[in-house]
Structure formats: structure tokens, C-alpha cells
């Protein structure tokens, strides 16, 4: 499908320096991922553990799989062996299960802390205070098989560009605060995952290092038939 190829190239051409593109392939068939893979894309994002596992089993092994959705602790086992970044850590409980499963696989799994900055109640994520508690808990300090490399957040689904920009600024500010309070010596803490098809350009202007783009590459998702 030439159209996905063309869209990928268009998105890739607008990426800022040092910004990585995560092609969000959730609900899309393996054949679509193969098209985008053959065009050179290697990082793909999924938001369901079983769907990610099934796609990982079939597709080339040099794909880096990013988990971007709400992750239930009991599903971590389906992705722990190969996932390259989990964007959506929002509790100590989840983090300790990721640590436990990573240890079983003799891996260290990179994670981002997800923050809630949007207006919508439905969006998952921590507040700064909750993250501060997590990062100073003895549970966290004992975990050897996870590494927190940054933060993630989603803006409100709105046409109000000022509001979106404001929410991205908030995420960047949280990143800066955490960096100076908890990760001062840690060069690995450097990622800011924000921006989707409709707002990734704004997100890059506000400091995003990882953009998660689905429909602008793969086309609209049809949840009814998937
Ligand atoms: C689906 C999804 C995306 C991609 O959304 P598009 O609007 O299709 O680009 C990005 N991030 C998360 C967390 C998602 O669930």
C-alpha cells in the first residue's frame, strides 16, 4: 500500500532533530505493519498486551515494541521478554510487577512514568506528588530490573491549541522537576513521550523526544471490526 509509505515519509520529514517516531499500529493487521516496516520504520507502538505478543511472534525480530496503553499487572508477562519501552507506568504495583517479570527474563526494562495533565477524567496517569512518593519508596529503590528513562503524557482531545500547548508545557515541567529532584546524575533519564497524529508538531515544539503517531500513518482505526 503506497499510501502508508507516503504518509510515513511525510511524518518522518517533519520530525525534529533527535525526535523518535513510534508508529502506533494498534488494531492494525500484521500486513499493514509489514508495509511500514519495509519502508524502514522499526519502532511500533501497541496498547494491548496480547495483541502485541501475537504481532511480536509473527513479525521480524528487529522491531522495537513500545507499550503505550494502560497496562494491567497481570498482563505484563505477555510482553516482558521483548518489550523495549513501556510508556505507561502509573503505579508502584505495576512497576514492581514489571520488575518481577523482567528479572525472570534476566532483562532490565525501560519505563516512562505516565502523567495526567488532560482535562478528561478517563486519561490514566500520576500526579507529581504521586510520582514523588513512588520514586522515594523503598519498594522502588530496591528494583533492579527496571529503569525509568523519562515521562509520558497525553493532551486533552480538543481543538484548543493553547490548551494543548499548555498541557505539553506541564509535562515538560514535570520532567524538569523530576530530573533535578531524582535523576540529576542519571543521563538515561531523557525521554519525553508526548504528541499523537493531531498534535505531535506542537508536542515537538514543546520538547517531545518521542512522538506516538498512529492514524496519520496507518489511516483511521475502525474499532467496530477489529
Ligand atoms: C492510539 C494512541 C496513539 C496514537 O493515536 P493517533 O491519534 O492515531 O496518532 C498515541 N498514544 C496513545 C497512548 C494511544 O493510545
Amino acid at each position: 500500500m503506497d499510501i502508508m509509505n507516503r504518509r510515513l515519509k511525510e511524518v518522518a520529514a517533519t520530525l525534529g532533530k533527535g525526535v523518535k517516531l513510534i508508529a502506533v499500529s494498534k488494531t492494525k493487521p500484521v500486513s499493514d505493519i509489514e508495509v511500514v516496516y519495509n519502508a524502514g520504520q522499526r519502532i511500533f507502538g501497541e496498547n494491548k498486551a496480547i495483541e502485541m505478543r501475537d504481532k511480536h511472534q509473527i513479525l521480524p525480530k528487529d522491531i522495537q515494541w513500545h507499550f503505550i496503553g494502560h497496562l494491567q499487572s497481570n498482563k505484563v508477562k505477555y510482553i516482558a521478554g521483548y518489550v523495549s519501552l513501556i510508556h505507561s507506568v502509573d503505579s508502584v504495583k505495576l512497576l514492581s510487577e514489571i520488575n518481577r517479570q523482567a528479572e525472570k527474563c534476566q532483562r532490565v526494562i525501560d519505563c516512562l512514568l505516565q502523567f495526567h495533565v488532560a482535562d478528561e477524567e478517563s486519561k490514566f496517569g500520576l500526579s507529581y506528588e504521586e510520582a514523588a512518593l513512588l520514586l522515594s519508596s523503598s519498594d522502588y529503590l530496591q528494583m533492579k530490573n527496571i529503569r525509568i528513562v523519562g515521562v509520558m503524557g497525553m493532551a486533552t482531545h480538543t481543538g484548543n491549541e493553547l490548551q494543548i500547548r499548555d498541557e505539553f508545557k506541564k509535562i515538560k515541567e514535570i520532567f524538569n522537576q523530576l530530573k533535578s529532584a531524582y535523576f540529576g546524575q542519571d543521563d538515561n533519564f531523557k525521554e519525553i513521550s508526548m504528541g499523537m497524529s493531531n498534535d505531535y508538531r506542537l508536542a515537538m515544539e514543546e520538547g517531545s523526544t518521542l512522538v506516538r503517531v498512529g492514524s496519520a500513518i496507518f489511516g483511521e482505526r475502525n474499532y467496530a471490526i477489529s
Side-chain angles (χ1 to χ4, degrees):
M1 281 259 289
D2 285 349
I3 180 129
M4 279 187 270
N5 241 308
R6 201 178 64 232
R7 291 203 207 101
L8 174 70
K9 290 208 167 67
E10 277 167 13
V11 172
T14 63
L15 288 187
K17 200 165 155 265
V19 177
K20 275 188 264 181
L21 172 65
I22 293 128
V24 175
S25 47
K26 63 186 187 195
T27 79
K28 296 294 176 180
V30 160
S31 54
D32 283 6
I33 301 178
E34 281 168 340
V35 170
V36 173
Y37 176 90
N38 287 332
Q41 178 66 20
R42 289 296 178 271
I43 311 177
F44 291 88
E46 292 284 338
N47 71 343
K48 297 269 192 293
I50 305 236
E51 185 175 344
M52 181 187 267
R53 178 198 64 186
D54 292 348
K55 287 173 173 173
H56 167 260
Q57 276 172 1
I58 299 169
L59 284 156
K61 292 298 171 269
D62 64 340
I63 288 179
Q64 296 163 45
W65 293 99
H66 284 213
F67 194 88
I68 60 168
H70 182 62
L71 180 57
Q72 289 170 285
S73 297
N74 62 0
K75 302 274 172 68
V76 173
K77 57 177 179 281
Y78 299 122
I79 64 171
Y82 57 87
V83 69
S84 85
L85 181 61
I86 297 176
H87 288 234
S88 43
V89 171
D90 58 2
S91 71
V92 187
K93 178 176 176 249
L94 173 59
L95 197 59
S96 67
E97 177 61 9
I98 296 170
N99 185 64
R100 202 171 73 87
Q101 295 294 339
E103 192 181 356
K104 276 195 194 172
C105 308
Q106 298 181 294
R107 303 183 65 214
V108 173
I109 297 182
D110 284 348
C111 298
L112 305 177
L113 295 178
Q114 180 171 355
F115 287 88
H116 180 102
V117 294
D119 261 352
E120 290 117 335
E121 296 239 332
S122 62
K123 302 224 158 115
F124 292 98
L126 300 160
S127 65
Y128 184 84
E129 291 70 28
E130 288 167 332
L133 274 178
L134 183 158
L135 293 169
S136 25
S137 70
S138 59
D139 282 353
Y140 166 68
L141 294 169
Q142 284 167 24
M143 295 177 193
K144 301 225 170 1
N145 295 76
I146 54 95
R147 187 168 76 162
I148 293 178
V149 298
V151 303
M152 181 270 214
M154 285 162 90
T156 304
H157 189 72
T158 170
N160 184 344
E161 202 171 285
L162 265 177
Q163 181 180 356
I164 295 172
R165 206 180 269 283
D166 224 54
E167 291 171 352
F168 287 150
K169 281 188 204 299
K170 253 188 239 169
I171 297 167
K172 176 74 197 267
E173 202 175 285
I174 288 170
F175 171 86
N176 288 341
Q177 276 179 285
L178 291 178
K179 176 101 187 148
S180 65
Y182 299 96
F183 297 96
Q185 323 284 33
D186 182 356
D187 293 337
N188 298 308
F189 188 82
K190 59 176 195 302
E191 304 294 356
I192 303 177
S193 167
M194 56 187 192
M196 315 186 1
S197 292
N198 290 328
D199 56 20
Y200 75 93
R201 289 176 191 81
L202 282 180
M204 290 191 297
E205 287 173 20
E206 299 304 332
S208 175
T209 66
L210 299 168
V211 292
R212 311 177 308 269
V213 179
S215 45
I217 296 169
F218 290 99
E220 293 302 319
R221 287 176 294 277
N222 187 341
Y223 285 101
I225 58 160
S226 64

